[in-house]
Amino acid sequence: MIVFLAPDEELFATATAALSEAHPDIRIEQGLLSAGVRRARELARSGTEIIISRGGTASAIKEAIPDLIVVEVPITGFDILRAVDQARHYGRNIGVVAFPSMVIGIECLPAILDVELRHYLIQSEFEAESRVLQAFREGADVVVGGVITSKEGKKHNIPHVLIRSGAEGILQATLEARRIAEARLLEKLKGTLFRTVLDYSYEGVVSVDQNHRIVIFNPVASRITGVTVPDALGKPIGQILPRLN
């Protein structure tokens, strides 16, 4: 199953509009950063294999649940351009308070839009408040960033602009998630077919990994050696078949 986990209500609404017709089977939920991680854990336990999310929430899920596949909604050049263009109405000095993955390519905009950009990159949600306040202490007229940056700007009643994801990035991430899901399904089918061939083979089949531990031990090998399959798997080949040591 694929789930789109939106960090905020606006992205939730944008994703709903973008996916409702082309991808109606994609489930859409909401969860920001640590709350998103908690929800992702629950979804993974219930069978979700792929999560689509954005920015810091996507990064937090990847770090906290390494076995879960996370596809990040890309921040497109248009998304960044729109945000910086909106921000310059507050003044020329713009502080960028965001996760690194959200502002790739932003360096080219100062010359195009006649603004000054200063980066205050964050690695976790807990750094956002101090970095937003630092940006204004150092002369920023406005801060640009993700949902957590906007929340801190609103909290301290200071100018802020949210980098919004458009439908283009959402659809791009969804197609990538589908390609991954299809590839995983194909691998599962191949694995099932391979296991069926092994199980019904007339010959004993034993395979080991680079550490000489058994990774394949079919039923015929079990009958020949008198060792059950569970007892053989993961064991050193020399322990199960001493003559091959």
Side-chain angles (χ1 to χ4, degrees), residues 28-80:
I28 305 172
E29 297 204 10
Q30 188 175 329
L32 173 65
L33 296 167
S34 56
V37 171
R38 289 194 296 272
R39 185 58 187 138
R41 288 190 193 279
E42 294 169 357
L43 290 167
R45 284 195 291 267
S46 64
T48 297
E49 296 183 328
I50 302 174
I51 292 283
I52 305 171
S53 194
R54 191 188 93 146
T57 301
S59 298
I61 295 171
K62 287 179 185 177
E63 183 177 351
I65 318 173
D67 292 336
L68 184 64
I69 296 174
V70 180
V71 176
E72 188 167 352
V73 176
I75 302 295
T76 68
F78 291 112
D79 298 333
I80 296 175

Side-chain angles (χ1 to χ4, degrees), residues 117-194:
L117 292 182
R118 180 173 291 185
H119 291 235
Y120 300 87
L121 300 182
I122 58 176
Q123 301 298 331
S124 80
E125 61 186 293
F126 307 107
E127 299 175 12
E129 182 175 26
S130 63
R131 298 296 267 169
V132 166
L133 295 176
Q134 179 187 353
F136 278 91
R137 285 197 305 270
E138 296 179 359
D141 298 310
V142 57
V143 289
V144 169
V147 177
I148 192 68
T149 297
S150 290
K151 282 192 170 186
E152 294 301 334
K154 187 179 296 184
K155 173 182 174 182
H156 292 280
N157 196 29
I158 51 183
H160 56 278
V161 172
L162 174 66
I163 300 175
R164 293 177 168 85
S165 293
E168 305 89 351
I170 292 170
L171 290 170
Q172 182 179 331
T174 301
L175 290 175
E176 176 64 18
R178 286 207 179 280
R179 283 193 290 268
I180 293 172
E182 289 170 2
R184 285 172 61 89
L185 178 59
L186 182 59
E187 287 302 312
K188 287 180 181 178
L189 292 174
K190 287 181 179 178
T192 301
L193 178 61
F194 181 60

